[in-house]
Amino acid sequence: MATLATIFSRFTSPATDAAAAPAVRQRPAADPFRLRPIPNEDLFFFVKTIDNTRVVREFDPVAPQRCWNMIGAGSAAAVLFIGLLLPGAYRMLAGYQIEALRLEQQVLMNERASLELQEAKLVSPARLEELARIQEFVDPAPGHVIYLNSQEGSLALNVPKK
């Protein structure tokens, strides 16, 4: 690799031939199958087994109260969180229900319109004349028509008076 000194020496020193140039130091040929050393392979860690079977934990009188306080605080936080989310969930469900009712209203309105159309077709004067002709209905003769008079009493009596 070229350093500043070698670069300047090319310009300042007299011309030399390649034979007079200093020889590059070469590494001795190493065993090609030898692995390079693993970092920190010279360190040794001694593992000592520890037996804690005879150790008894000291009772802490405040620990149960802390546990119950944490359980109460967690439960209160959960209830508060659910209480905050509940109106939004209710609003979303109400929106789904409103859309379902709108679709049902549209279906019922379409069904009502089709039923009104069928009724108009069935009650039309042309259809009634056709039914009268099929069932052989005839118009009554003018002498057979009885007009009810409301001043005479009951209207339910259809028998002519003698």
Side-chain angles (χ1 to χ4, degrees), residues 23-83:
V24 178
R25 186 174 149 218
Q26 294 182 357
R27 291 185 182 170
D31 184 13
F33 300 108
R34 182 179 167 125
L35 296 175
R36 55 182 182 199
I38 298 173
N40 297 327
E41 73 177 337
D42 55 337
L43 296 178
F44 179 72
F45 294 105
F46 178 74
V47 179
K48 179 181 178 183
T49 59
I50 300 173
D51 184 22
N52 285 335
T53 56
R54 292 180 296 153
V55 176
V56 178
R57 176 177 275 179
E58 188 177 334
F59 179 72
D60 185 10
V62 184
Q65 184 182 2
R66 285 185 189 156
C67 288
W68 285 110
N69 286 343
M70 288 298 293
I71 290 171
S75 300
V79 167
L80 180 66
F81 184 68
I82 290 171

Side-chain angles (χ1 to χ4, degrees), residues 14 41 56 68 73 94 123 130 134 137-138 162:
E41 73 177 337
V56 178
W68 285 110
V123 182
E130 179 67 25
I134 290 173
F137 290 158
V138 291
K162 293 185 185 176

Side-chain angles (χ1 to χ4, degrees), residues 2-162:
T3 62
L4 286 175
T6 56
I7 292 174
F8 288 133
S9 67
R10 286 184 190 168
F11 296 117
T12 57
S13 65
T16 58
D17 59 347
V24 178
R25 186 174 149 218
Q26 294 182 357
R27 291 185 182 170
D31 184 13
F33 300 108
R34 182 179 167 125
L35 296 175
R36 55 182 182 199
I38 298 173
N40 297 327
E41 73 177 337
D42 55 337
L43 296 178
F44 179 72
F45 294 105
F46 178 74
V47 179
K48 179 181 178 183
T49 59
I50 300 173
D51 184 22
N52 285 335
T53 56
R54 292 180 296 153
V55 176
V56 178
R57 176 177 275 179
E58 188 177 334
F59 179 72
D60 185 10
V62 184
Q65 184 182 2
R66 285 185 189 156
C67 288
W68 285 110
N69 286 343
M70 288 298 293
I71 290 171
S75 300
V79 167
L80 180 66
F81 184 68
I82 290 171
L84 289 175
L85 292 179
L86 201 58
Y90 181 72
R91 184 175 34 250
M92 184 175 63
L93 291 176
Y96 284 133
Q97 189 176 14
I98 287 172
E99 284 303 314
L101 290 173
R102 282 185 186 155
L103 289 175
E104 185 180 357
Q105 179 189 18
Q106 188 64 35
V107 167
L108 290 174
M109 287 176 63
N110 290 341
E111 186 178 342
R112 180 180 179 184
S114 67
L115 288 175
E116 286 178 354
L117 180 65
Q118 281 180 340
E119 181 186 13
K121 285 180 182 176
L122 291 175
V123 182
S124 67
R127 172 143 166 71
L128 292 177
E129 286 179 18
E130 179 67 25
L131 286 174
R133 188 183 54 78
I134 290 173
Q135 295 178 3
E136 297 177 357
F137 290 158
V138 291
D139 289 334
H144 287 96
V145 176
I146 300 172
Y147 295 101
L148 299 176
N149 200 352
S150 63
Q151 285 100 11
E152 293 182 6
S154 174
L155 295 176
L157 185 62
N158 288 336
V159 227
K161 293 184 179 179
K162 293 185 185 176

